[in-house]
């Protein structure tokens, strides 16, 4: 099964699901100006986000039968460009993502299958505009990988365990490094990219694999 997003001739964004036989079913969240699909698990449950007419973001869960449930993190802002973004879903139905508050600071969250949402911040995350915590992926064990932006605008990787413990990490040995994990598997291996400053001010970017 493949889930994704398409843009129509009026530049409106919709979601779709393509099954193994090639049939495509489209969908959008009721009342959404745009619907963004971000992840699908083995039970064909989809996590994503939609933007309403006031440009506020909200998370959603779509089950295999097409039922859509929307949600918002408690601390999410309600202004234009603020709100909740469902980023990743694991086999247990846990959704990891982030929300932007009224001060445009980003925070992480994990949503359980029963709808309970736990919000969190990585230690060292900045608290100003454009800073904060950005979860990218959750594995089948409930471990979350992502990055946070500190008060100096530098990106650092983090791993969050199900008990809430967070460990930060970054690629060593380079000056001005930004470390950005993208995904984590059930073995705890994390893939992502890092970039560092070049002597002529052109950043270099490379991928990395972090092995537990």
């Amino acid at each position: 099964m493949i889930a994704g997003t398409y843009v129509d001739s009026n530049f409106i964004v919709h979601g779709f699901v393509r099954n193994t036989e090639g049939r495509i079913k489209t969908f959008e969240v009721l009342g959404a100006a745009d619907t963004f699909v971000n992840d699908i698990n083995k039970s064909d449950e989809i996590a994503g986000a939609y933007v309403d007419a006031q440009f506020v973001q909200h998370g959603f869960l779509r089950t295999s039968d097409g039922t859509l449930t929307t949600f918002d993190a408690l601390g999410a802002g309600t202004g234009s460009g603020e709100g909740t973004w469902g980023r990743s879903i694991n086999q247990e139905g846990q959704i990891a993502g982030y929300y932007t508050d009224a001060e445009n600071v980003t925070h992480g969250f994990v949503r359980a299958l029963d709808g309970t949402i736990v919000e969190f911040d990585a230690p060292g995350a900045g608290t100003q505009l454009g800073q904060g915590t950005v979860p990218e992926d959750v594995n089948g064990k409930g471990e979350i990988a992502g990055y946070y932006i500190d008060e100096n605008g530098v990106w650092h990787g983090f791993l969050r365990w199900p008990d809430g413990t967070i460990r930060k990490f970054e690629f060593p040995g380079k000056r001005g490094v930004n470390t950005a994990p993208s995904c984590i598997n059930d073995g705890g291996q994390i893939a992502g990219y890092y970039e560092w400053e070049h002597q002529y001010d052109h950043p270099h970017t490379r991928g990395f694999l972090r092995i537990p």
Side-chain angles (χ1 to χ4, degrees), residues 8 14 30 32 36 132 140 156 166 190 208:
D8 67 21
H14 311 266
L30 182 65
F36 297 89
H156 308 267
I166 296 176
I190 298 173
F208 72 82

Side-chain angles (χ1 to χ4, degrees), residues 65-123:
D65 64 2
T67 301
L68 283 159
T69 301
T70 63
F71 61 88
D72 293 289
L74 183 62
T78 57
S80 177
E82 302 168 359
T84 304
W85 195 267
R87 184 68 184 88
S88 175
I89 185 168
N90 67 11
Q91 187 58 31
E92 304 303 317
Q94 294 175 308
I95 296 175
Y98 52 88
Y99 69 91
T100 306
D101 65 22
E103 304 299 324
N104 282 301
V105 180
T106 304
H107 310 268
F109 74 84
V110 57
R111 179 186 186 272
L113 186 59
D114 65 4
T116 303
I117 295 176
V118 175
E119 303 172 5
F120 65 89
D121 293 293

